[in-house]
């Protein structure tokens, strides 16, 4: 791990290799994944994405400079994850039109499960095999996405959506779709605050007097209930009594209010309670966000394009929100840093 110590004085650098991956996962490469999926089908695109993601991590294990990690883990693996995420999510939603919210909730809850598993696994791999060995093992795991992509059942080819002029592609149509653009802009603001507790939460726990074990427990609890929130919200949204977008509005409001209250957690118990509440509410809005796209643009082939384009828009909020909320410097909990982090949560809740 001494390799990374050279970069520690610059807070942005350690996260930059991951940032393109996040942007690819839910952002800049989303439209590419949706376009390729529409042209060739979700199965071959997802399989190609699994191959690229594993290859990126594999090449990263042989990096000799941090720039090599930007290109391998960041660019190549990030592109691969984008080619898996967008086509898979859009296709599963079309498999179950009547239970779209619940199906989406089940799919995205896998991210919470993997997060809980990798949380303790990655430090163990780093201690046992070093960062190169850890990347090699993570590459082996990512290559399994090729087999997972092969399980996607091809959808029948549908006719051109009504009202779509001949020769006009889906992305161009979406850029002229007022309701969709407003929906995407709303989630740019949501994502600007969404990741702040996940990035600054551990530092905040230390500031209120938690040791490493308690701080880790706060973060693990927040990530754990996130998956439960995704399942519960998907199940509740399947009830016909209330429109899905109203469910989404309620969960976004609760997430923002909980974020506003996070600075009031000045003890381990108080912070843990607020973290559990935030994790559940934040997780609950995720499946409804993607299911809501079909409510805005319709459930046809255009929905895959819409998901990819929306992810590109919201990536700007997710990538910039946490850095603008306050600088993160591991091991440095000065009074100025505490003040900035306390102020970060109210501003994030307003977003």
């Amino acid at each position: 791990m001494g390799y990374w110590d050279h970069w520690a004085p610059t807070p942005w650098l350690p996260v930059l290799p991951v940032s393109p991956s996040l942007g690819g996962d839910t952002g800049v490469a989303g439209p590419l994944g949706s376009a390729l999926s529409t042209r060739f089908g979700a199965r071959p695109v997802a399989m190609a994405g699994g191959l690229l993601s594993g290859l990126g991590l594999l090449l990263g294990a042989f990096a000799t400079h941090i720039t090599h990690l930007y290109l391998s883990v960041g660019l190549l693996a990030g592109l691969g994850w984008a080619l898996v995420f967008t086509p898979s999510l859009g296709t599963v939603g079309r498999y179950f039109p009547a239970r779209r919210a619940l199906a989406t909730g089940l799919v995205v809850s896998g991210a919470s499960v993997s997060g809980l598993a990798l949380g303790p696994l990655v430090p163990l791999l780093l201690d046992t095999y070093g960062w190169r060995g850890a990347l090699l093992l993570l590459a082996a795991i990512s290559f399994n996405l090729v087999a997972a992509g092969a399980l996607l059942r091809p959808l029948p080819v549908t006719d051109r959506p009504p009202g779509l002029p001949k020769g006009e592609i889906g992305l161009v149509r979406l850029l002229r779709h007022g309701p969709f653009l407003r929906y995407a802009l709303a989630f740019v603001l949501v994502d600007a605050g969404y990741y702040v507790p996940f990035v600054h939460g551990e530092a905040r726990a230390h500031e209120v007097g938690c040791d490493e074990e308690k701080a880790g427990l706060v973060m693990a609890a927040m990530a754990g209930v996130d998956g439960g929130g995704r399942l519960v919200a998907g199940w509740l949204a399947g009830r016909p009594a209330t429109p899905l977008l109203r469910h989404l509005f309620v969960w976004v409001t609760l997430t923002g209010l909980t974020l506003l209250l996070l600075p009031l957690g000045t003890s381990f118990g108080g912070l843990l309670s607020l973290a559990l509440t935030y994790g559940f509410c934040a997780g609950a809005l995720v499946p409804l966000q993607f299911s809501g796209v079909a409510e805005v643009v319709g459930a046809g082939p255009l929905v895959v394009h819409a998901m990819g384009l929306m992810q590109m828009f919201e990536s700007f909020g997710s990538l910039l929100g946490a850095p603008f909320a306050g600088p993160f410097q591991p091991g440095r909990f000065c009074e100025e840093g505490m003040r900035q982090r306390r102020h970060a949560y109210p501003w994030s809740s307003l977003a």
Side-chain angles (χ1 to χ4, degrees), residues 25 30 33-34 36-38 41-50 80-96 100 103-104 106-108 145-153 155 290 303-304 307-308 311:
D25 221 350
S34 63
L36 292 175
S37 176
T38 302
R43 176 185 286 174
V45 174
M47 292 177 68
W81 289 325
L83 296 182
V84 173
F85 182 80
T86 305
S88 301
L89 193 61
T91 301
V92 169
R94 293 179 63 194
Y95 286 161
F96 307 98
R100 183 178 296 109
T104 305
L106 288 168
V107 170
V108 296
L145 290 172
V146 178
L151 297 177
L152 291 174
R153 176 173 54 85
L155 290 165
F290 294 111
V303 71
V304 181
M307 285 185 180
Q311 289 159 23

Side-chain angles (χ1 to χ4, degrees), residues 247-267:
H247 282 266
L248 178 59
F249 174 79
V250 170
W251 287 115
V252 170
T253 303
L254 290 175
T255 301
L257 290 175
T258 308
L259 192 55
L260 184 66
L261 295 174
L262 274 174
L264 301 180
T266 56
S267 65

Side-chain angles (χ1 to χ4, degrees), residues 175-245:
L175 291 174
R176 301 175 181 175
H177 196 293
F180 166 74
L181 293 176
R182 291 191 292 271
Y183 187 83
L185 176 60
F187 276 97
V188 172
L189 298 176
V190 168
D191 277 35
Y194 186 94
Y195 295 101
V196 170
F198 295 102
V199 174
H200 295 287
E202 184 176 2
R204 176 61 179 162
H206 285 294
E207 289 166 358
V208 301
C210 297
D211 56 20
E212 290 291 339
E213 183 178 352
K214 289 184 177 179
L217 179 59
V218 169
M219 300 304 295
M222 185 161 55
V225 297
D226 176 280
R230 298 180 185 206
L231 292 175
V232 170
W235 178 77
L236 289 175
R239 309 296 95 189
T242 308
L244 183 144
L245 292 179

Side-chain angles (χ1 to χ4, degrees), residues 25 40 49 71-72 77-78 102 143 170 178 229 236 242 304 314 316 333 349:
D25 221 350
F40 301 105
L71 296 175
S72 57
L102 179 57
F143 278 126
L236 289 175
T242 308
V304 181
E314 67 176 325
F316 294 105
F333 306 113
S349 70

Side-chain angles (χ1 to χ4, degrees), residues 24-99:
D25 221 350
T26 61
V28 292
L32 175 62
S34 63
L36 292 175
S37 176
T38 302
R39 176 66 178 84
F40 301 105
R43 176 185 286 174
V45 174
M47 292 177 68
L51 181 63
L52 290 177
S53 65
L55 184 61
L57 292 169
L58 178 65
L59 293 176
F62 299 96
T64 57
H65 191 273
I66 195 168
T67 305
H68 301 159
L69 291 174
Y70 294 156
L71 296 175
S72 57
V73 179
L75 182 62
L76 189 58
L79 174 62
W81 289 325
L83 296 182
V84 173
F85 182 80
T86 305
S88 301
L89 193 61
T91 301
V92 169
R94 293 179 63 194
Y95 286 161
F96 307 98
R99 298 285 184 181

Side-chain angles (χ1 to χ4, degrees), residues 6-35:
H6 175 69
W7 307 101
T10 309
W12 281 72
L13 283 177
V15 299
L16 278 179
V18 181
S19 297
S21 303
L22 177 61
D25 221 350
T26 61
V28 292
L32 175 62
S34 63

